[in-house]
Amino acid sequence: MKSQQFDQLKIAADRILKSSTVVTKRRTKSEADKKRELFIQTMNAIEEAIVRSNLAFSELGIDYNTYDEKFFVAIDNLLLIHYGSQCFELVSWYLYERDNPDGTKNHLVDEVGNEIHIENSNQLYDLLLKINPKI
Amino acid sequence: MAKKSVVIRADIKDLELATADDLVKSEQLRNLIMWSVPRTIEYAHNSNKQHATVFEIGTTGHYLEIHRSQWIPSLQTVMDFKMEQDTKDSYEECAKIRDLIAKIRSSTKPTKDEEPTVRSTEDSSGQNT
């Protein structure tokens, strides 16, 4: 569709509404963008579930661990199937081993001794892509 | 938290051939705008957005939007249209629109934003026009 058609539609909408409208073009998300977004949402949801479970125990004395365990096992298995063992280990580290009880964070060290700091799930996804670009 | 809004897709008949005059006479377009505008402005206001997305134009990836500065005049036009319909449902909708206008007015703070000029759209070659 040519831009003049959008202009005609804008003019018509302005006349119908008796106010000013705009026609904008949005960048469509690529498959890669969508996968990244989905990964970040998934990590955030798992993190929030873990925090919620810990809070329930510390604040209310309610232990959800036994109840939640089956869900987390299922999620872990799905992550392992989809991302493979190497990426799955990184995801597990990020979810369960990165944070220390005193609030400090652990970091990774690569083969040559460089520290790798992963602050959020977006950075984690970048690292996973480096290891396995096909995810 | 505001519910996620689903932007409707408008498949307007013969859009590629129509002029602005033809489109103004289109009952399909008019009804769509009058239905969509209050809902999308309410969502945009609750979500603290600067633009309300009225609809997507077919599957083009182009969207008809209304800037915040034009929300109240647009809603007033929709209200006038509903009043003309003169039905019980339309009066109820008018009341909701009136409440929405009041809410927007009460939350409007002076901003540095000016009313935007028409944004250019890209033609098929990717150049701005």
mmCIF file with all atom_site columns, all heavy atoms in Angstrom, chain B residues 92-104:
data_model
loop_
_atom_site.group_PDB
_atom_site.id
_atom_site.type_symbol
_atom_site.label_atom_id
_atom_site.label_alt_id
_atom_site.label_comp_id
_atom_site.label_asym_id
_atom_site.label_entity_id
_atom_site.label_seq_id
_atom_site.pdbx_PDB_ins_code
_atom_site.Cartn_x
_atom_site.Cartn_y
_atom_site.Cartn_z
_atom_site.occupancy
_atom_site.B_iso_or_equiv
_atom_site.pdbx_formal_charge
_atom_site.auth_seq_id
_atom_site.auth_comp_id
_atom_site.auth_asym_id
_atom_site.auth_atom_id
_atom_site.pdbx_PDB_model_num
ATOM 1   N N   . GLU B 1 92  ? -25.683 5.610  27.717 1.00 0.00 ? 92  GLU B N   1
ATOM 2   C CA  . GLU B 1 92  ? -24.801 5.027  28.748 1.00 0.00 ? 92  GLU B CA  1
ATOM 3   C C   . GLU B 1 92  ? -23.343 5.181  28.339 1.00 0.00 ? 92  GLU B C   1
ATOM 4   O O   . GLU B 1 92  ? -22.483 5.484  29.167 1.00 0.00 ? 92  GLU B O   1
ATOM 5   C CB  . GLU B 1 92  ? -25.139 3.544  28.947 1.00 0.00 ? 92  GLU B CB  1
ATOM 6   C CG  . GLU B 1 92  ? -26.407 3.343  29.751 1.00 0.00 ? 92  GLU B CG  1
ATOM 7   C CD  . GLU B 1 92  ? -26.828 1.873  29.835 1.00 0.00 ? 92  GLU B CD  1
ATOM 8   O OE1 . GLU B 1 92  ? -26.103 1.008  29.319 1.00 0.00 ? 92  GLU B OE1 1
ATOM 9   O OE2 . GLU B 1 92  ? -27.899 1.613  30.412 1.00 0.00 ? 92  GLU B OE2 1
ATOM 10  N N   . GLU B 1 93  ? -23.079 4.959  27.059 1.00 0.00 ? 93  GLU B N   1
ATOM 11  C CA  . GLU B 1 93  ? -21.706 5.131  26.581 1.00 0.00 ? 93  GLU B CA  1
ATOM 12  C C   . GLU B 1 93  ? -21.263 6.584  26.701 1.00 0.00 ? 93  GLU B C   1
ATOM 13  O O   . GLU B 1 93  ? -20.111 6.866  27.023 1.00 0.00 ? 93  GLU B O   1
ATOM 14  C CB  . GLU B 1 93  ? -21.594 4.686  25.124 1.00 0.00 ? 93  GLU B CB  1
ATOM 15  C CG  . GLU B 1 93  ? -21.604 3.176  24.982 1.00 0.00 ? 93  GLU B CG  1
ATOM 16  C CD  . GLU B 1 93  ? -21.308 2.719  23.567 1.00 0.00 ? 93  GLU B CD  1
ATOM 17  O OE1 . GLU B 1 93  ? -20.294 3.175  23.007 1.00 0.00 ? 93  GLU B OE1 1
ATOM 18  O OE2 . GLU B 1 93  ? -22.092 1.923  23.030 1.00 0.00 ? 93  GLU B OE2 1
ATOM 19  N N   . CYS B 1 94  ? -22.185 7.498  26.442 1.00 0.00 ? 94  CYS B N   1
ATOM 20  C CA  . CYS B 1 94  ? -21.858 8.931  26.575 1.00 0.00 ? 94  CYS B CA  1
ATOM 21  C C   . CYS B 1 94  ? -21.440 9.248  28.006 1.00 0.00 ? 94  CYS B C   1
ATOM 22  O O   . CYS B 1 94  ? -20.512 10.026 28.237 1.00 0.00 ? 94  CYS B O   1
ATOM 23  C CB  . CYS B 1 94  ? -23.067 9.795  26.223 1.00 0.00 ? 94  CYS B CB  1
ATOM 24  S SG  . CYS B 1 94  ? -23.326 9.940  24.473 1.00 0.00 ? 94  CYS B SG  1
ATOM 25  N N   . ALA B 1 95  ? -22.149 8.658  28.951 1.00 0.00 ? 95  ALA B N   1
ATOM 26  C CA  . ALA B 1 95  ? -21.836 8.914  30.356 1.00 0.00 ? 95  ALA B CA  1
ATOM 27  C C   . ALA B 1 95  ? -20.417 8.420  30.674 1.00 0.00 ? 95  ALA B C   1
ATOM 28  O O   . ALA B 1 95  ? -19.649 9.099  31.373 1.00 0.00 ? 95  ALA B O   1
ATOM 29  C CB  . ALA B 1 95  ? -22.856 8.215  31.259 1.00 0.00 ? 95  ALA B CB  1
ATOM 30  N N   . LYS B 1 96  ? -20.063 7.251  30.127 1.00 0.00 ? 96  LYS B N   1
ATOM 31  C CA  . LYS B 1 96  ? -18.713 6.711  30.372 1.00 0.00 ? 96  LYS B CA  1
ATOM 32  C C   . LYS B 1 96  ? -17.657 7.608  29.733 1.00 0.00 ? 96  LYS B C   1
ATOM 33  O O   . LYS B 1 96  ? -16.596 7.865  30.307 1.00 0.00 ? 96  LYS B O   1
ATOM 34  C CB  . LYS B 1 96  ? -18.589 5.303  29.780 1.00 0.00 ? 96  LYS B CB  1
ATOM 35  C CG  . LYS B 1 96  ? -19.347 4.243  30.547 1.00 0.00 ? 96  LYS B CG  1
ATOM 36  C CD  . LYS B 1 96  ? -19.161 2.868  29.902 1.00 0.00 ? 96  LYS B CD  1
ATOM 37  C CE  . LYS B 1 96  ? -20.095 1.875  30.517 1.00 0.00 ? 96  LYS B CE  1
ATOM 38  N NZ  . LYS B 1 96  ? -20.146 0.606  29.792 1.00 0.00 ? 96  LYS B NZ  1
ATOM 39  N N   . ILE B 1 97  ? -17.978 8.101  28.528 1.00 0.00 ? 97  ILE B N   1
ATOM 40  C CA  . ILE B 1 97  ? -17.010 8.971  27.829 1.00 0.00 ? 97  ILE B CA  1
ATOM 41  C C   . ILE B 1 97  ? -16.844 10.275 28.594 1.00 0.00 ? 97  ILE B C   1
ATOM 42  O O   . ILE B 1 97  ? -15.745 10.803 28.752 1.00 0.00 ? 97  ILE B O   1
ATOM 43  C CB  . ILE B 1 97  ? -17.456 9.230  26.377 1.00 0.00 ? 97  ILE B CB  1
ATOM 44  C CG1 . ILE B 1 97  ? -17.411 7.924  25.578 1.00 0.00 ? 97  ILE B CG1 1
ATOM 45  C CG2 . ILE B 1 97  ? -16.575 10.284 25.717 1.00 0.00 ? 97  ILE B CG2 1
ATOM 46  C CD1 . ILE B 1 97  ? -18.048 8.018  24.210 1.00 0.00 ? 97  ILE B CD1 1
ATOM 47  N N   . ARG B 1 98  ? -17.974 10.795 29.096 1.00 0.00 ? 98  ARG B N   1
ATOM 48  C CA  . ARG B 1 98  ? -17.922 12.032 29.887 1.00 0.00 ? 98  ARG B CA  1
ATOM 49  C C   . ARG B 1 98  ? -17.034 11.833 31.106 1.00 0.00 ? 98  ARG B C   1
ATOM 50  O O   . ARG B 1 98  ? -16.219 12.686 31.455 1.00 0.00 ? 98  ARG B O   1
ATOM 51  C CB  . ARG B 1 98  ? -19.343 12.419 30.300 1.00 0.00 ? 98  ARG B CB  1
ATOM 52  C CG  . ARG B 1 98  ? -19.443 13.732 31.066 1.00 0.00 ? 98  ARG B CG  1
ATOM 53  C CD  . ARG B 1 98  ? -20.757 13.812 31.821 1.00 0.00 ? 98  ARG B CD  1
ATOM 54  N NE  . ARG B 1 98  ? -20.852 12.733 32.778 1.00 0.00 ? 98  ARG B NE  1
ATOM 55  C CZ  . ARG B 1 98  ? -21.985 12.125 33.143 1.00 0.00 ? 98  ARG B CZ  1
ATOM 56  N NH1 . ARG B 1 98  ? -23.132 12.508 32.635 1.00 0.00 ? 98  ARG B NH1 1
ATOM 57  N NH2 . ARG B 1 98  ? -21.989 11.155 34.014 1.00 0.00 ? 98  ARG B NH2 1
ATOM 58  N N   . ASP B 1 99  ? -17.159 10.697 31.772 1.00 0.00 ? 99  ASP B N   1
ATOM 59  C CA  . ASP B 1 99  ? -16.335 10.400 32.948 1.00 0.00 ? 99  ASP B CA  1
ATOM 60  C C   . ASP B 1 99  ? -14.866 10.283 32.558 1.00 0.00 ? 99  ASP B C   1
ATOM 61  O O   . ASP B 1 99  ? -13.982 10.727 33.286 1.00 0.00 ? 99  ASP B O   1
ATOM 62  C CB  . ASP B 1 99  ? -16.793 9.096  33.630 1.00 0.00 ? 99  ASP B CB  1
ATOM 63  C CG  . ASP B 1 99  ? -18.177 9.231  34.246 1.00 0.00 ? 99  ASP B CG  1
ATOM 64  O OD1 . ASP B 1 99  ? -18.631 10.385 34.441 1.00 0.00 ? 99  ASP B OD1 1
ATOM 65  O OD2 . ASP B 1 99  ? -18.811 8.194  34.508 1.00 0.00 ? 99  ASP B OD2 1
ATOM 66  N N   . LEU B 1 100 ? -14.623 9.681  31.401 1.00 0.00 ? 100 LEU B N   1
ATOM 67  C CA  . LEU B 1 100 ? -13.243 9.521  30.944 1.00 0.00 ? 100 LEU B CA  1
ATOM 68  C C   . LEU B 1 100 ? -12.614 10.884 30.649 1.00 0.00 ? 100 LEU B C   1
ATOM 69  O O   . LEU B 1 100 ? -11.460 11.143 30.992 1.00 0.00 ? 100 LEU B O   1
ATOM 70  C CB  . LEU B 1 100 ? -13.203 8.634  29.686 1.00 0.00 ? 100 LEU B CB  1
ATOM 71  C CG  . LEU B 1 100 ? -11.839 8.399  29.027 1.00 0.00 ? 100 LEU B CG  1
ATOM 72  C CD1 . LEU B 1 100 ? -10.846 7.804  30.019 1.00 0.00 ? 100 LEU B CD1 1
ATOM 73  C CD2 . LEU B 1 100 ? -11.981 7.482  27.821 1.00 0.00 ? 100 LEU B CD2 1
ATOM 74  N N   . ILE B 1 101 ? -13.385 11.760 30.024 1.00 0.00 ? 101 ILE B N   1
ATOM 75  C CA  . ILE B 1 101 ? -12.888 13.119 29.738 1.00 0.00 ? 101 ILE B CA  1
ATOM 76  C C   . ILE B 1 101 ? -12.539 13.819 31.051 1.00 0.00 ? 101 ILE B C   1
ATOM 77  O O   . ILE B 1 101 ? -11.487 14.466 31.167 1.00 0.00 ? 101 ILE B O   1
ATOM 78  C CB  . ILE B 1 101 ? -13.934 13.940 28.950 1.00 0.00 ? 101 ILE B CB  1
ATOM 79  C CG1 . ILE B 1 101 ? -14.066 13.375 27.535 1.00 0.00 ? 101 ILE B CG1 1
ATOM 80  C CG2 . ILE B 1 101 ? -13.550 15.417 28.896 1.00 0.00 ? 101 ILE B CG2 1
ATOM 81  C CD1 . ILE B 1 101 ? -15.182 14.009 26.714 1.00 0.00 ? 101 ILE B CD1 1
ATOM 82  N N   . ALA B 1 102 ? -13.408 13.673 32.041 1.00 0.00 ? 102 ALA B N   1
ATOM 83  C CA  . ALA B 1 102 ? -13.146 14.319 33.339 1.00 0.00 ? 102 ALA B CA  1
ATOM 84  C C   . ALA B 1 102 ? -11.867 13.761 33.966 1.00 0.00 ? 102 ALA B C   1
ATOM 85  O O   . ALA B 1 102 ? -11.052 14.511 34.532 1.00 0.00 ? 102 ALA B O   1
ATOM 86  C CB  . ALA B 1 102 ? -14.341 14.101 34.273 1.00 0.00 ? 102 ALA B CB  1
ATOM 87  N N   . LYS B 1 103 ? -11.683 12.449 33.832 1.00 0.00 ? 103 LYS B N   1
ATOM 88  C CA  . LYS B 1 103 ? -10.477 11.819 34.408 1.00 0.00 ? 103 LYS B CA  1
ATOM 89  C C   . LYS B 1 103 ? -9.218  12.332 33.710 1.00 0.00 ? 103 LYS B C   1
ATOM 90  O O   . LYS B 1 103 ? -8.213  12.629 34.362 1.00 0.00 ? 103 LYS B O   1
ATOM 91  C CB  . LYS B 1 103 ? -10.582 10.291 34.186 1.00 0.00 ? 103 LYS B CB  1
ATOM 92  C CG  . LYS B 1 103 ? -10.272 9.501  35.431 1.00 0.00 ? 103 LYS B CG  1
ATOM 93  C CD  . LYS B 1 103 ? -10.466 8.022  35.426 1.00 0.00 ? 103 LYS B CD  1
ATOM 94  C CE  . LYS B 1 103 ? -10.365 7.188  34.253 1.00 0.00 ? 103 LYS B CE  1
ATOM 95  N NZ  . LYS B 1 103 ? -10.329 5.736  34.508 1.00 0.00 ? 103 LYS B NZ  1
ATOM 96  N N   . ILE B 1 104 ? -9.295  12.448 32.386 1.00 0.00 ? 104 ILE B N   1
ATOM 97  C CA  . ILE B 1 104 ? -8.129  12.921 31.627 1.00 0.00 ? 104 ILE B CA  1
ATOM 98  C C   . ILE B 1 104 ? -7.821  14.359 32.005 1.00 0.00 ? 104 ILE B C   1
ATOM 99  O O   . ILE B 1 104 ? -6.673  14.739 32.221 1.00 0.00 ? 104 ILE B O   1
ATOM 100 C CB  . ILE B 1 104 ? -8.371  12.793 30.102 1.00 0.00 ? 104 ILE B CB  1
ATOM 101 C CG1 . ILE B 1 104 ? -8.475  11.325 29.710 1.00 0.00 ? 104 ILE B CG1 1
ATOM 102 C CG2 . ILE B 1 104 ? -7.255  13.471 29.319 1.00 0.00 ? 104 ILE B CG2 1
ATOM 103 C CD1 . ILE B 1 104 ? -8.960  11.096 28.286 1.00 0.00 ? 104 ILE B CD1 1
#
